[in-house]
Amino acid sequence: MNKPTDVMSTVTDATPIKVPTLPDAQTVLSVKHWTDRLFSFRVTRPQTLRFRSGEFVMIGLMGDPDPKTGKQKPLLRAYSIASPSWDEELEFYSIKVPDGPLTSRLQHIQPGEQIILRPKPVGTLVHDALLPGKRIWFFATGTGFAPFASLLREPQTYEDYDEVIITHTCREAGELDYGREVIESLKTDELLNEVIGDGFWKKIKYYPTTTREQSPKMGRITDLMKSGECFSDLDVPVLRPETDRAMICGNLAFNLELKDMLESYGLEEGANSKPAHYVVEKAFLD
C-alpha cells in the first residue's frame, strides 16, 4: 500500500496536458509589418496538412462573446498560403482593415499567440488547372501576391515553364516590398538553387507598377497591356493560347477586366476538373 507521501509525490510530479485555447489552433512564429496597411506572419504547420502551392485555407480568431449566451464563434476568412507546399511552416500575407471584423484584430498578433487554421486547403491557382505551356503569367494586385509567393518557390513552376512573368500592381511603392523581397530571396536560396538548378530565378521577369505614388513604372497593368507598353518593356509577345498560361489574383474589378482581356487574346478559363489556359482566384478580394 502506497504511503500518503508517495501519493502526494505522484500528483505533484504529474505534467499537466496543454490544451489549445482555440479549435484547430496553430502558434504564431513571427510577424512582420511592411507598411501601415500590410503585414505578413508565419505559423506552425499541422503535421497532417497537405496542400498544393497556390491554394488557400480558412484562418482567423475567436469572435467576441455573444452578449446573451456568452458563447464565442470563430471569425474566419480565406487566406492564400504564401509559403510553398514543401515548407515546414505556413506563411500568410494580409491587409489591415481598421474596422475589419478580423484584420483589425489579426494585425496585432504576436509570436507565441494562436490563430485558428482550418486544415482544408482549396483553390484554383494550381498548376493542375492549366494545360502545358511555354510561359506563365502571374497577375496580382495588393495582397493578391500571396499565392504567387508560394508558386514562385515551387519547383514545378520552373519545370513546367521556360519563362515566369509576375506583375504586381499596388497603389504605393512600399506595398511592393513584400513581393520584391520574396523574389530577391530566391537568388540566395541554397535549397531551391540546389533542387531546381543554379540560376533558376533567371527565368523570372518581375513587373511591379504603382497607381498613386511615383515609382519607376506607373499605371494599372491592364492599361499597360492595352497600350502594348507592358509587352514592349518585358520584350515578350502578346499572350497567345498556344504558348501562354496565366493566373489572376486581385480585386474583383481587376479580375473581371483581366478575364475579358485574356479571353480577347483567345485564352480559355480552366479549372481543376478541366485544365485550360488561365485561372482566377475567386475567393480573394483585395
Side-chain angles (χ1 to χ4, degrees), residues 79-90:
Y79 269 76
S80 292
I81 303 173
S83 46
S85 61
W86 50 264
D87 202 322
E88 294 179 352
E89 302 172 357
L90 297 177

Side-chain angles (χ1 to χ4, degrees), residues 3-31:
K3 297 177 182 178
T5 52
D6 291 337
V7 175
M8 184 64 76
S9 175
T10 303
V11 173
T12 304
D13 292 343
T15 303
I17 298 173
K18 186 177 181 182
V19 179
T21 56
L22 298 175
D24 295 318
Q26 296 302 318
T27 302
V28 178
L29 301 172
S30 63
V31 183

Side-chain angles (χ1 to χ4, degrees), residues 30-41 79 92-97 102-109 143 178:
S30 63
V31 183
K32 182 168 182 177
H33 294 268
W34 297 88
T35 72
D36 59 357
R37 294 182 66 246
L38 301 167
F39 70 108
S40 62
F41 57 99
Y79 269 76
F92 298 97
Y93 184 43
S94 178
I95 193 170
K96 304 175 187 179
V97 181
L102 178 59
T103 61
S104 61
R105 295 169 54 192
L106 192 63
Q107 64 181 292
H108 299 298
I109 57 171
T143 52
Y178 172 79

Side-chain angles (χ1 to χ4, degrees), residues 91-135:
E91 181 180 336
F92 298 97
Y93 184 43
S94 178
I95 193 170
K96 304 175 187 179
V97 181
D99 55 352
L102 178 59
T103 61
S104 61
R105 295 169 54 192
L106 192 63
Q107 64 181 292
H108 299 298
I109 57 171
Q110 299 292 326
E113 296 179 354
Q114 293 181 324
I115 67 163
I116 302 167
L117 189 149
R118 294 285 163 82
K120 295 181 180 179
V122 291
T124 55
L125 301 184
V126 292
H127 287 305
D128 295 343
L130 295 176
L131 294 169
K134 175 185 176 184
R135 186 183 297 112

